[in-house]
């Protein structure tokens, strides 16, 4: 990442998140990295889900980690849908509940509950991929 080019646009004391999914639905995973040094802070999956669910869960995971550690940080995501879902505290997935997708649904319910119980949380900002390049948490599968 070109830190010099982005220094006036991006707060590097932040967590960048992203999800990857092979198929829709399919094996889904997500991760978060610290922007200051691109160190992976967390990774989850794969489980059967969708990319949008993964993006949503990644944001909530980052928010919960920030709160748990007492960090003063922001979260960056490249997903408009996931940011909207977090702001509304509701994941609007159409993923059918099956035995294979049950874990994803359980995690969504847990994330929604966390958001309801923690309405004041770190800011969630849009990562501007077209201007800044891929979010540093990207899985590189495009």
């Amino acid at each position: 990442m070109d830190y010099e080019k982005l220094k006036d646009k991006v707060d590097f004391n932040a967590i960048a998140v992203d999800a990857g999914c092979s198929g829709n639905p399919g094996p889904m995973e997500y991760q978060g990295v610290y922007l200051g040094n691109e160190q992976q802070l967390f990774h989850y999956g794969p489980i059967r889900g969708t990319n949008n669910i993964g993006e949503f869960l990644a944001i909530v995971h980052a928010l919960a980690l920030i709160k748990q550690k007492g960090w003063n940080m922001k979260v960056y995501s490249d997903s408009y849908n996931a940011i909207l879902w977090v702001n509304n505290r509701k994941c609007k997935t159409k993923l059918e509940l099956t035995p294979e997708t049950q874990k994803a649904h359980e995690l969504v319910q847990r994330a929604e509950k966390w958001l309801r119980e923690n309405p004041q949380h770190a800011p969630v900002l849009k990562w501007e991929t077209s201007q800044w390049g891929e979010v540093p948490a990207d899985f590189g599968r495009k």
Side-chain angles (χ1 to χ4, degrees):
M1 179 169 37
D2 187 346
Y3 289 94
E4 193 60 33
K5 181 176 119 183
L6 298 178
K7 72 178 181 179
D8 296 330
K9 300 172 182 124
V10 174
D11 182 347
F12 291 102
N13 185 38
I15 299 175
V17 298
D18 202 22
C21 192
S22 301
N24 199 28
M28 176 273 297
E29 60 188 319
Y30 66 81
Q31 65 183 350
V33 301
Y34 177 64
L35 278 178
N37 60 11
E38 297 186 43
Q39 174 187 355
Q40 185 183 66
L41 297 175
F42 59 85
H43 175 269
Y44 186 84
I47 62 171
R48 187 153 183 86
T50 67
N51 195 69
N52 281 340
I53 287 174
E55 299 275 4
F56 172 77
L57 293 174
I59 295 171
V60 178
H61 192 136
L63 292 172
L65 181 64
I66 288 167
K67 180 168 184 174
Q68 175 193 28
K69 299 289 188 183
W71 293 338
N72 181 17
M73 295 185 166
K74 297 174 175 106
V75 176
Y76 284 98
S77 170
D78 63 2
S79 172
Y80 285 112
N81 282 340
I83 294 170
L84 182 63
W85 292 354
V86 166
N87 290 340
N88 291 331
R89 296 188 288 280
K90 183 75 178 158
C91 178
K92 294 281 197 169
T93 183
K94 294 179 174 86
L95 181 65
E96 183 180 347
L97 177 59
T98 68
E100 294 82 23
T101 63
Q102 183 173 348
K103 183 66 177 176
H105 279 277
E106 288 171 1
L107 291 172
V108 164
Q109 289 174 347
R110 188 169 129 193
E112 289 173 342
K113 180 178 187 282
W114 188 92
L115 289 168
R116 286 191 305 273
E117 293 173 353
N118 296 277
Q120 303 295 328
H121 53 69
V124 180
L125 305 173
K126 174 71 173 73
W127 181 267
E128 299 298 341
T129 305
S130 63
Q131 298 170 36
W132 306 339
E134 288 297 337
V135 67
D138 185 69
F139 281 93
R141 296 187 188 145
K142 292 174 183 66

